[in-house]
Amino acid sequence: MPIKIPNDLPGREVLENEGVMIMSESQAIRQDIRPLNIGLLNLMPNKITTETQIARLLGATPLQIDLTLVKIGSHTPRNTSADHMASFYRSWEEVRGKKFDGFIVTGAPVEHLPFEEVTYWDEIRQVFDWTQTNVHRTFNICWAAQAASYHFHNMPKYALDTKATGIFRQYVRVPASPFLRGFSDDFRVPVSRWTEARKSDIPDGSGLVVLAENEETGMCLLEDPKHRILNMFNHIEYDTTSLADEFARDSETKKDDAPFPLDYFPENNPSKVPPNRWRAHAHLLFGNWINEMYQTTPFDVADIGK
């Protein structure tokens, strides 16, 4: 089944050219099924790129997805036009009365700040609490995964001596997990962060389960069954050139001190196009998350969170 997104969303043409099935409002109405309602709280600087990345993964699944783009009301993006935000996004305050089968919270360029110093921290905390009554399953990415672990379990984040960036091999620790169904014993994921949350800080009795990790970069995938949360500490949703774009940006500002992405460029040559070695597992992870959501969410949307 296809994904339903606004007709004029900039990423629509990109997705259609890739073969992702897109449907209109009129087509969705004709289908006598209940779509899965998924919200995307997009905190990344380049909203359009992230919208496209997430919609690509959601749209590859065999179920009808109704995607709602959500923004933090107390924050004005600097890298996305006001017209785009007004046309396609709804504030969390506008949607807080709605029920969602799934809710995705992205990373954010604020990891150098203590959580409490992030300007929208109070609102993010409200969002996390709201997911416990209005969302069936939540998927947090990178900074949002760290923030949720801190909010629900008081797990701190630690500054790294140097940025963890590159493609890192992750090892599956719980192969029986429904979220890792069909996964290889190990898989590669783009990593891009200056901080980390540590497995040693997982509280006793919390029920948290490390599903995948790397010895050097730590936890990759952490399940929080009590709160119906899946935390991805890295960026499995990234495009092929996302790390290259970040490296080019850092090279302009940090010059020779720009962190070099490990195991990414062929022959460590930034002029060569990197191969994408994580795409299949990205689709598989999102497909497994959606399947688990579909199998367990109430048919009556009003029953979500009860």
Side-chain angles (χ1 to χ4, degrees), residues 54-292:
I54 299 299
R56 174 187 295 122
L57 296 169
L58 296 176
T61 59
L63 299 170
Q64 185 186 129
I65 305 294
D66 190 346
L67 182 63
T68 300
L69 299 177
V70 184
K71 63 182 179 179
I72 285 292
S74 58
H75 177 71
T76 301
R78 292 181 298 175
N79 300 295
T80 305
S81 73
D83 286 344
H84 180 84
M85 300 303 295
S87 297
F88 302 113
Y89 280 76
R90 299 173 66 187
S91 70
W92 172 68
E93 288 290 344
E94 291 180 78
V95 304
R96 66 183 304 172
K98 184 178 178 180
K99 297 291 184 81
F100 289 90
D101 299 289
F103 201 76
I104 301 168
V105 187
T106 71
V110 293
E111 60 177 323
H112 62 289
L113 294 173
F115 291 117
E116 291 83 1
E117 292 184 16
V118 174
T119 57
Y120 47 82
W121 177 243
D122 287 342
E123 193 169 355
I124 284 291
R125 293 180 62 205
Q126 292 178 54
V127 170
F128 286 147
D129 288 338
W130 166 84
T131 63
Q132 300 306 290
T133 57
N134 286 60
V135 175
H136 182 58
R137 290 197 179 274
T138 305
F139 193 141
N140 297 313
I141 299 173
C142 202
W143 178 84
Q146 294 180 349
S149 300
Y150 180 67
H151 176 69
F152 288 113
H153 301 284
N154 202 33
M155 293 175 59
K157 63 183 174 73
Y158 301 87
L160 299 173
D161 293 334
T162 186
K163 184 179 183 180
T165 177
I167 308 302
F168 289 82
R169 189 186 300 268
Q170 311 296 327
Y171 294 89
V172 170
R173 300 306 187 204
V174 188
S177 167
F179 300 111
L180 297 177
R181 187 177 293 114
F183 265 62
S184 307
D185 293 338
D186 59 72
F187 59 100
R188 292 178 172 86
V189 169
V191 176
S192 178
R193 48 184 165 81
W194 291 91
T195 58
E196 66 178 0
R198 295 176 181 171
K199 182 168 66 172
S200 58
D201 288 324
I202 293 178
D204 293 338
S206 64
L208 294 174
V209 182
V210 178
L211 302 182
E213 62 184 339
N214 172 277
E215 289 186 2
E216 184 176 353
T217 58
M219 295 185 294
C220 173
L221 202 58
L222 179 69
E223 184 185 4
D224 184 352
K226 178 181 177 182
H227 298 99
R228 304 183 307 282
I229 290 174
L230 191 62
N231 288 314
M232 161 59 69
F233 291 96
N234 302 315
H235 283 286
I236 201 168
E237 83 284 0
Y238 264 10
D239 292 324
T240 301
T241 60
S242 294
L243 291 179
D245 295 339
E246 291 181 1
F247 177 66
R249 179 200 64 202
D250 290 343
S251 295
E252 290 183 3
T253 58
K254 301 179 185 300
K255 305 301 181 183
D256 294 337
D257 292 329
F260 192 83
L262 300 178
D263 195 26
Y264 178 59
F265 294 111
E267 302 172 5
N268 287 330
N269 185 343
S271 66
K272 294 188 175 182
V273 178
N276 189 309
R277 292 174 288 172
W278 61 92
R279 183 185 296 115
H281 282 100
H283 280 281
L284 189 54
L285 179 62
F286 272 75
N288 286 342
W289 180 68
I290 289 173
N291 180 63
E292 191 65 13

